[in-house]
Amino acid sequence: MIADRKDDHVRHAVNHHRQATGVSDFDSVTFVHHALAGIDADEVSLAVEVAGKQWNTPLFVNAMTGGSTKTGEINRQLAIAARETGIPIASGSMSAYFRDPSVAGTYRVLRQENPHGFVMANVNANATVDQVRSAVDLLEADALQIHLNAVQEVVMPEGDRSFGAWPRQIERIVAATAVPVFVKEVGFGLSRQTVTWLRDAGVSVADVGGRGGTNFARIENDRRAGGDFGFIESWGQSTPNCLLDCAGIPGIGIAASGGIRSPLDIARALALGADATGVAGAFLETLVSHDTAALVDKIGTWLDQLRTILTVLGARTPADLVGADLLITGDVASFCRLRGIDAAALAHRSPWWRESENREGVTHE
């Protein structure tokens, strides 16, 4: 049953998060510290513009679950946390609702508990226009999120095996949907070519959804009797690699999710060009291991700590972080070389570097 599968996903996702090594490509992205760059904390605003809408913060609760009694309760608690902290939230995939309308309440609760918040409805790329409209109406959604999960599907024992219709169906959905459309990967990353195509199709925001967070190939392999797809668990590009690959594409917003572990990772993602960052696994683990109050406290703490990072870096807004100097090392630097990305330029972009050069007559090679 699909409800059992949804519960399995939550159980495996939480267990994998608890077993995580903590190693991440985000650790290959380091801010250059300029000791006199800091500003007053009260000068910092965390507000951002995403898909033409004003968000109070660059952080949102990304798509997780729904479709069973247990996951409906998780969605209720997530919605309360989003309401209490003022951050946007996305539903989990609403495929279960399309197959069985009786589970509508497990998704509808996101709006019931968060009547004035920014809520996104999540569907897969096979959804029909009528299904999309039904999902948006059910949640009174402010945006639609389409997830791309071909790798997950091929590992999933009962998954889809046909993906050729996805591009044309995305175009149909975008053309027929009145709210902004986000398209996200579920943990394997979006390439520059894919994001450019999405932009041309009219998508408002591409969520790169890179490798490093919840690993749905591993989750689905754990559900396989033989566990014979372990070789594919490292598939795809990490979130930092995706952000570097997609930097500078005009006409489309960029969101970053996949392996966001801390406020420092949020700042790194924003400095790499993301307009906003989505978190799922870290929030789910806190909720399941503790309670709603603990998640509210965690989100509030992360936002306070993010503000302190911006203060030290001299960034008055999250968007200002794209001017911060970054050192790109390790595997991420190797990715940049192979994709023709000038990672060295990121180390010399802040006003502090330029002002120092002008004063001292120093030439940086």
Side-chain angles (χ1 to χ4, degrees):
M1 292 176 58
I2 193 168
D4 293 334
R5 171 155 57 88
K6 296 297 184 179
D7 291 344
D8 284 347
H9 285 172
V10 169
R11 177 168 53 85
H12 287 302
V14 170
N15 288 339
H16 292 176
H17 189 83
R18 290 170 177 164
Q19 297 165 10
T21 63
V23 177
S24 168
D25 273 356
F26 274 112
D27 296 325
S28 294
V29 180
T30 306
F31 286 101
V32 176
H33 175 58
H34 299 296
L36 292 175
I39 57 175
D40 296 343
D42 59 10
E43 296 181 53
V44 176
S45 168
L46 295 183
V48 295
E49 182 176 312
V50 179
K53 308 292 184 179
Q54 289 294 317
W55 289 5
N56 293 329
T57 79
L59 177 63
F60 64 97
V61 179
N62 217 343
M64 292 194 218
T65 195
S68 71
T69 300
K70 182 181 296 184
T71 59
E73 176 58 20
I74 290 172
N75 274 343
R76 186 185 73 81
Q77 295 176 73
L78 290 171
I80 292 171
R83 181 191 72 211
E84 293 302 305
T85 57
I87 68 174
I89 185 170
S91 78
S93 171
M94 298 181 71
S95 298
Y97 162 63
F98 300 149
R99 297 181 186 181
D100 180 6
S102 72
V103 303
T106 69
Y107 299 98
R108 174 65 185 170
V109 69
L110 292 170
R111 178 54 77 191
Q112 291 170 331
E113 294 289 355
N114 190 14
H116 306 297
F118 191 101
V119 176
M120 292 179 267
N122 181 291
V123 303
N124 67 30
N126 286 324
T128 67
V129 168
D130 286 343
Q131 287 173 331
V132 167
R133 288 172 175 160
S134 175
V136 170
D137 289 346
L138 180 69
L139 300 189
E140 300 173 61
D142 301 283
L144 175 72
Q145 196 180 63
I146 303 173
H147 66 265
L148 306 180
N149 66 334
V151 178
Q152 178 189 8
E153 293 286 350
V154 297
V155 182
M156 187 189 305
E158 64 274 60
D160 292 333
R161 300 294 185 270
S162 299
F163 313 110
W166 282 10
R168 180 63 184 129
Q169 191 58 20
I170 290 171
E171 291 177 328
R172 292 190 185 99
I173 291 171
V174 170
T177 303
V179 296
V181 176
F182 292 52
V183 172
K184 72 179 296 290
E185 242 290 353
V186 303
F188 307 98
L190 296 178
S191 66
R192 185 177 187 86
Q193 289 85 344
T194 303
V195 172
T196 300
W197 186 93
L198 293 171
R199 185 271 314 273
D200 294 344
V203 171
S204 296
V205 176
D207 180 347
V208 299
R211 175 171 47 79
T214 302
N215 189 327
F216 279 100
R218 182 181 174 194
I219 286 173
E220 299 299 350
N221 193 47
D222 285 348
R223 297 181 60 244
R224 296 179 70 89
D228 54 336
F229 264 81
F231 62 87
I232 209 169
E233 290 179 9
S234 61
W235 189 274
Q237 298 90 258
S238 70
T239 301
N241 286 346
C242 291
L243 292 171
L244 286 158
D245 202 29
C246 298
I249 299 177
I252 188 169
I254 300 293
S257 63
I260 302 288
R261 305 162 299 173
S262 69
L264 180 55
D265 286 347
I266 296 174
R268 287 162 164 161
L270 295 168
L272 289 171
D275 300 303
T277 57
V279 175
F283 290 169
L284 178 62
E285 195 278 330
T286 297
L287 185 62
V288 171
S289 298
H290 302 285
D291 55 20
T292 310
L295 179 56
V296 170
D297 183 65
K298 181 170 190 163
I299 294 171
T301 298
W302 276 28
L303 293 175
D304 288 342
Q305 292 171 338
L306 178 61
R307 183 184 299 274
T308 65
I309 294 171
L310 267 66
T311 300
V312 170
L313 290 170
R316 288 175 172 79
T317 69
D320 289 343
L321 287 174
V322 295
D325 291 332
L326 296 175
L327 301 179
I328 308 298
T329 59
D331 290 343
V332 178
S334 297
F335 175 88
C336 288
R337 285 193 297 271
L338 293 171
R339 290 288 282 176
I341 299 165
D342 184 6
L346 300 180
H348 309 296
R349 59 184 186 172
S350 91
W352 277 89
W353 181 87
R354 291 193 295 272
E355 289 170 10
S356 173
E357 181 184 51
N358 291 337
R359 284 194 302 270
E360 301 172 11
V362 176
T363 299
H364 295 262
E365 297 295 337

